Amino acid sequence: MNIHILGTGNVARTLAVRLKELGHRVELETRNPEDTLSRTFGDGTVMSDWLKTNDVSLSSFGTTTSEADLLINASNGKGTLEMLHRVGAEALKGKVLLDLSNPLDFSNGMPPTLFVCNDDSLGEQIQREFPDLQVVKSLNTLTAPLMLTPHKLKGDHVVFLSGNHAEAKAKVRAMEESAGWKTENIIDLGDITTARGTEQWLALWVRLYGSSGSALFNLNLVK
């Protein structure tokens, strides 16, 4: 598939590398490619060199979105709606968006609160704002290094799907299965309103991360 990742941060780059390993064509979309190309990471790597090394393309929001078979929202939850408006409703029309974002609010420090919860979710807000977009909430319950490499944890563990469109969920499920997720461990929760549950898991996730000192953990469903 031709997969476009919206964002260029650590989550976006981690997924891009793994998706390339899986044989997909990957392009990152950003606000200002010129500025992004000169960005330097903590290890001293420059973004332009990283793109060449990993054979990943870079474009500005919306310019090549229509060419994508699948979009992945790897942006900060707080800025997701603004970013999608930059991409543009026309470019997003009819596209499948795998939404990884979470409504985390760090304005009062750690641990973060949720800026939407209980009777709404960020996934629902995206779907309402862009009704012609097919939103699938998934992988948001995991740290980026585990999202498409489930084998990094021993034993069974699960991932969830939420969305209104069966074909869109099937496309995301197929991508996840190709990355190593077992079919029985990809749990379809139902429509996009069920994203409320997976987003609210983050309140416990950050506390488990704090107490354990590691983000390399996940949920399993034991019946």
Side-chain angles (χ1 to χ4, degrees), residues 135-186:
V135 181
V136 180
K137 194 83 178 193
S138 191
L139 301 178
N140 62 305
T141 52
L142 296 151
T143 186
L146 292 178
M147 288 179 179
L148 296 180
T149 50
H151 56 272
K152 285 188 176 182
L153 293 182
K154 295 179 180 179
D156 284 339
H157 52 111
V158 296
V159 69
F160 306 98
L161 295 173
S162 299
N164 297 340
H165 306 89
E167 289 185 7
K169 287 194 282 190
K171 178 175 281 191
V172 171
R173 176 186 287 274
M175 187 267 288
E176 292 174 347
E177 289 175 345
S178 75
W181 285 99
K182 297 178 182 178
T183 301
E184 63 271 23
N185 290 339
I186 303 174

Side-chain angles (χ1 to χ4, degrees), residues 25-44:
R25 181 181 179 275
V26 181
E27 185 166 322
L28 303 183
E29 295 192 24
T30 187
R31 178 182 303 189
N32 189 323
E34 203 169 295
D35 288 347
T36 302
L37 285 170
S38 60
R39 185 184 305 163
T40 303
F41 308 137
D43 63 358

Side-chain angles (χ1 to χ4, degrees), residues 20 28 48 55 65 107 120 147 162 167 190 212 214 217:
K20 288 295 296 185
L28 303 183
S48 57
D55 189 26
T65 306
S107 61
D120 200 4
M147 288 179 179
S162 299
E167 289 185 7
S212 68
S214 172
F217 61 88

